[in-house]
Amino acid sequence: MENSNVSNTSASDDSDNGNNETNSLDELGNDAEGVWSADIEQSFQEALAIYPPCGRRKIILSDEGKMYGRNELIARYIKLRTGKTRSRKQVSSHIQVLARRKSKEIQSQLKDQTTKEKVLQSLSGMSSSQIVSASALHNKSVIGSALPLSQLPHSLHRDGAAYSDYAAQLWNAGPISQDIRASYLSPCYPIDKALGPLQPPVEAIAPPWQGRSIAGPKLRLVEFSAFVEQPQEGEMNLQYDNQHLFVHIGSTVTYADPLLESVDVGQIGDKFPNKKGGLNELYEKGPQAAFFLVKFWADINTNMSSECGCFYGISSVYEGFGDVQIQCSTKVCSFGKQVVEKVETEYAQLENGRYMYRVERSSMCEYLINFIQKLKTLPEKYMMNSVLENFTILQVVSHRETEETLLCIAYVFEVSTSEHGAQHTIYRLVKE
């Protein structure tokens, strides 16, 4: 890590006190580093809620073996979510801007002089990070299931009792409970206890799939698979067993999974139709947060074929945020041109308070079945990958009535060489 910067108060990750802010700010309260766009600000606010202030202490990410300060983690989160770069110092400067703004806002709302003096005394003992983080966590519009202020960890303040007394006046929250406070006697994430995957404090700030799976503002893909099944022998009623998965996206997502990286939509534009309803046009219409790229390493190592009466199918499960009818368009493309399209309509099913869409065991089109069979006849993997380089699938899930894009997933393929079968990587599509 950059040990030389640890002693620099203005650039340190978390120790910037509200009394030292003027070096980073102009008189209008704007960032010296420039204006932050809406998508960067959204990711910044999400990161504030996920990573509480921890002073000069560092956090170890076990999957990388690296130590990060809080502002470095915020910058890293912004990069993963938006594909845009913000440095640790830019994050620090932005935190100071927001803290100064929040302090002025609080002061303007307090009329009683005695109360104002007590609040100002409390604020003077808080760093910019603590002021901004408390505000971000209380703002439930940032993350749907943000922690209430009554469950903020003890590390968010120097003196738990004093902060608790004034918190209700500042952000209309109740006092911090003793059992919550006791759980955080050691500030933030101690290094000696951070050997496992990084976990959010107390309870999940956001569901684990958020930022780690295919999830747009109004719809998320829970599971997806393309498979072949062999019929059981000697059965009067046709039943299938011995399923082989060509590709599969599972439903299990944990906080240990990395956040999705970004790919510029321009890098794959020539692999998909560019006419009306093509990828570029859809992306411009948005919402851009609903666009994803999946790289599949498909497992075609199976002896089952259509000649033996095998069933080739595709199943997908979605979770929505309302009782609407969806339409799923799947376009198979070759050399960037649409070859065949399948359109399906599905209604929501209410399951345990969740609106689920199940498009299960949908028959694979003849073109795709023949393509797989011909691909398997090639003698070498590199030959298969050469063919797959010009083979893509574009899946668009939309609101049936309004035609609003709910999810758009671009699929590209290679052949799996792993003994573990099909594998995949998911990316967010951005425009740089």
Side-chain angles (χ1 to χ4, degrees), residues 371 375 378 382-391:
F371 181 86
L375 191 67
L378 296 176
Y382 77 87
M383 296 179 181
M384 298 178 186
N385 288 335
S386 179
V387 172
L388 288 172
E389 186 175 345
N390 299 301
F391 172 84

Side-chain angles (χ1 to χ4, degrees), residues 13 53 81 95 102 110 121 126 137 171 199 216 262 269 287 341 344 346 352 360 366 407 409:
D13 267 44
R81 291 284 282 167
I95 287 174
K102 188 64 184 179
L110 295 175
Q121 183 179 1
M126 297 170 62
L137 280 169
W171 292 287
Q199 298 288 339
S262 302
E341 179 183 18
E344 299 169 287
E346 193 66 33
N352 299 319
E360 297 180 313
E366 286 297 322
L407 275 183
I409 310 168

Side-chain angles (χ1 to χ4, degrees), residues 5 19 35 143 154-155 157 166 185 187 192 200 257 334 411 425:
N5 290 336
N19 298 327
V35 178
I143 298 178
H154 185 270
S155 61
H157 52 91
Y166 298 119
L185 294 177
D192 58 345
D257 296 326
S334 178
Y411 296 100
T425 301

Side-chain angles (χ1 to χ4, degrees), residues 298-301 375 378-388 414-418:
D299 181 7
I300 62 172
N301 186 25
L375 191 67
L378 296 176
E380 300 290 343
K381 289 286 197 300
Y382 77 87
M383 296 179 181
M384 298 178 186
N385 288 335
S386 179
V387 172
L388 288 172
E414 282 189 19
V415 174
S416 174
T417 58
S418 170

Side-chain angles (χ1 to χ4, degrees), residues 3-181:
N3 294 329
S4 60
N5 290 336
V6 171
S7 61
N8 186 338
T9 302
S10 63
S12 66
D13 267 44
D14 216 28
S15 60
D16 47 359
N17 192 287
N19 298 327
N20 299 320
E21 294 175 1
T22 54
N23 291 334
S24 305
L25 313 173
D26 61 27
E27 291 303 319
L28 297 177
N30 297 316
D31 287 276
E33 305 294 347
V35 178
W36 285 43
S37 60
D39 58 336
I40 296 178
E41 181 65 26
Q42 173 70 17
S43 298
F44 170 78
Q45 293 291 336
E46 291 174 5
L48 284 179
I50 293 172
Y51 305 116
C54 50
R56 296 184 184 278
R57 306 190 76 163
K58 302 293 183 179
I59 298 171
I60 294 177
L61 296 186
S62 59
D63 57 339
E64 298 181 9
K66 295 180 181 179
M67 295 173 62
Y68 291 89
R70 191 219 190 187
N71 289 351
E72 289 173 310
L73 283 172
I74 293 173
R76 179 177 179 270
Y77 183 91
I78 291 171
K79 178 66 174 178
L80 289 171
R81 291 284 282 167
T82 68
K84 299 174 183 178
T85 302
R86 275 291 186 255
S87 69
R88 175 172 60 86
K89 290 186 178 181
Q90 286 175 308
V91 170
S92 177
S93 172
H94 195 52
I95 287 174
Q96 291 173 29
V97 169
L98 297 182
R100 183 177 179 181
R101 189 177 302 158
K102 188 64 184 179
S103 296
K104 289 183 176 180
E105 178 185 331
I106 293 168
Q107 293 178 48
S108 66
Q109 293 175 354
L110 295 175
K111 305 301 181 183
D112 181 70
Q113 187 62 33
T114 303
T115 302
K116 181 180 289 189
E117 289 176 359
K118 289 182 179 180
V119 170
L120 290 176
Q121 183 179 1
S122 178
L123 288 173
S124 67
M126 297 170 62
S127 70
S128 297
S129 293
Q130 291 167 344
I131 295 171
V132 173
S133 296
S135 178
L137 280 169
H138 185 63
N139 182 5
K140 291 188 169 88
S141 65
V142 175
I143 298 178
S145 55
L147 283 175
L149 191 62
S150 60
Q151 295 185 15
L152 290 181
H154 185 270
S155 61
L156 291 185
H157 52 91
R158 294 183 181 179
D159 178 64
Y163 185 83
S164 176
D165 291 341
Y166 298 119
Q169 298 177 40
L170 302 186
W171 292 287
N172 297 321
I176 300 173
S177 62
Q178 293 296 328
D179 54 335
I180 294 295
R181 187 179 300 138

